[in-house]
Amino acid sequence: MKAIRIHRFNDEPRLEDIPAPGIGPDQVLVRVDAAALNPLDALVVSGVARHFFDIALPITLGTDFAGTIERVGMAVTGWSVGDRVICWADAGTGGGFAERAAVPADACVPLPPGLSAAEGAAIPTAGITAWHALFSAAGLKPGETVLVHAGAGGVGSFAIQFAHKAGARVIATASGDGVELARSLGADEVVDYRTQDFAAAVSGVDVVLDLVGGETQTRSYAVLRTGGRMVSTAMLPDEAIGKDRGITASMFYAKPYADRLGELVDAIAQQGVKVVIDRHVPIGSFNEAWARLTSGKARGKIVVSCAPGH
Ligand SMILES: NC(=O)c1ccc[n+]([C@@H]2O[C@H](COP(=O)([O-])OP(=O)(O)OC[C@H]3O[C@@H](n4cnc5c(N)ncnc54)[C@H](OP(=O)(O)O)[C@@H]3O)[C@@H](O)[C@H]2O)c1
């Protein structure tokens, strides 16, 4: 079968022909229709992700994917051959950018009929991160104002919609055509960060969702109200900054919350949340998808078709 692999850290990910994986008693074999890229894939390739995950090389990349169950391990209950699923694999084992993937059965949730495989594959890391960073970590409430940095990206495009639908006032940063995208997703105000200083344009917000890090993060303390909250997915915040104003700052790390993923997927399908797809390329054009990911300019999610024939 075809699979996107690296053999050493810092290898360029390459399309290879390898045997389909076997499955353990607690696993299912999924015929993958679509898999989505995340910045985490680049951290696996560079080896930085070694600090958080046990990565066994060579590895088939891909944590987020969707397809159809083809085989079921002996100890698995609740899943049958033919079930359509969304899967969220551990980054240390990956497996999604391939025609077939072996995953623990509890890393799968049903793919609702209203979502395509590409949409389903796009949800796990970005959707769960947006949801839990906003509501579990930052405790965003209806009527509050949130500044979502990188509102046009994979996590940001979900975060704007979740916050808007939850009754928050949403300010986003984006640039170029990302400004219109962020507005169309429900942002009340969008700051084009390339032409405008967001720190001068925004003040008194309750929550900052920092999806960028660096100077964007350090300059964001100033836009928070006294007692405001910052949550970052991109860089460990310095809790000392803003402490005198009662500002709390924390880092959010997504973990496969498989039970919550099912609830989130259902909410996305039922509430008409738009799964924004930057591009959807065949596995043979993985290099194009990879270049787009590493450019840091994606509008929503980058998806790869893995079904044979692509
Ligand atoms: N800790 C965790 O568990 C976790 C989970 C998921 C993601 N993350 C991290 O969260 C970050 C976002 O992830 P993602 O999947 O959303 O990435 P992404 O889709 O690759 O983000 C791309 C977007 O970022 C925007 N952007 C870049 N620099 C910006 C800036 N200075 N201000 C505003 N927008 C900017 C780009 O817009 P322009 O083209 O207009 O610049 C583009 O739309 C990444 O650092 C990722 O590693 C962490």
Side-chain angles (χ1 to χ4, degrees):
M1 67 168 194
K2 296 199 184 325
I4 302 292
R5 315 249 300 158
I6 58 165
H7 290 255
R8 283 168 299 277
F9 294 122
N10 291 313
D11 271 358
E12 191 68 22
R14 257 202 341 239
L15 184 64
E16 294 179 13
D17 263 309
I18 59 166
I23 54 168
D26 298 323
Q27 292 187 312
V28 293
L29 184 72
V30 175
R31 195 178 69 237
V32 182
D33 286 326
L37 278 162
N38 289 289
L40 176 58
D41 297 306
L43 300 181
V44 170
V45 169
S46 68
V48 171
R50 261 180 302 183
H51 302 298
F52 313 103
F53 299 94
D54 199 3
I55 300 173
L57 296 174
I59 185 170
T60 299
L61 299 176
T63 55
D64 298 14
F65 52 97
T68 305
I69 292 181
E70 220 172 49
R71 275 176 55 206
V72 175
M74 280 166 49
V76 172
T77 55
W79 292 116
S80 307
V81 171
D83 286 346
R84 301 274 287 155
V85 284
I86 297 172
C87 309
W88 192 2
D90 185 277
T93 46
F97 293 110
E99 288 172 0
R100 286 178 174 73
V103 274
D106 61 8
C108 304
V109 300
L111 173 68
L115 292 180
S116 68
E119 289 170 327
I123 295 173
T125 300
I128 282 285
T129 297
W131 182 269
H132 283 291
L134 284 173
F135 303 114
S136 307
L140 182 68
K141 294 177 201 66
E144 289 192 319
T145 299
V146 58
L147 171 63
V148 177
H149 283 301
V155 177
S157 57
F158 281 116
I160 290 173
Q161 297 181 81
F162 294 159
H164 173 71
K165 284 180 185 293
R169 179 165 178 270
V170 183
I171 306 171
T173 59
S175 81
D177 58 358
V179 171
E180 194 39 51
L181 173 63
R183 214 168 263 138
S184 74
L185 296 174
D188 299 282
E189 198 181 315
V190 186
V191 178
D192 185 332
Y193 75 92
R194 289 192 199 276
T195 59
Q196 243 184 313
D197 175 7
F198 76 84
V202 179
S203 62
V205 308
D206 300 286
V207 170
V208 170
L209 178 58
D210 166 37
L211 305 175
V212 176
E215 211 188 74
T216 300
Q217 182 185 97
T218 47
R219 292 172 63 239
S220 290
Y221 289 93
V223 310
L224 279 161
R225 69 161 167 84
T226 296
R229 293 94 73 196
M230 178 186 307
V231 173
S232 180
T233 65
M235 182 176 97
L236 193 65
D238 183 344
E239 290 175 52
I241 306 176
K243 209 171 177 184
D244 55 331
R245 290 196 293 130
I247 288 171
T248 58
S250 61
M251 179 79 184
F252 175 82
Y253 297 98
K255 293 184 229 87
Y257 300 83
D259 53 340
R260 304 282 175 82
L261 178 60
E263 290 166 29
L264 182 66
V265 165
D266 287 344
I268 286 172
Q270 283 159 19
Q271 293 174 20
V273 171
K274 187 166 184 230
V275 180
V276 180
I277 295 188
D278 177 274
R279 63 195 57 205
H280 187 174
V281 305
I283 195 166
S285 302
F286 186 83
N287 289 350
E288 181 195 329
W290 190 251
R292 183 66 171 163
L293 174 77
T294 52
S295 76
K297 300 200 151 305
R299 306 284 180 245
K301 300 293 300 172
I302 303 159
V303 177
V304 175
S305 280
C306 301
H310 281 280

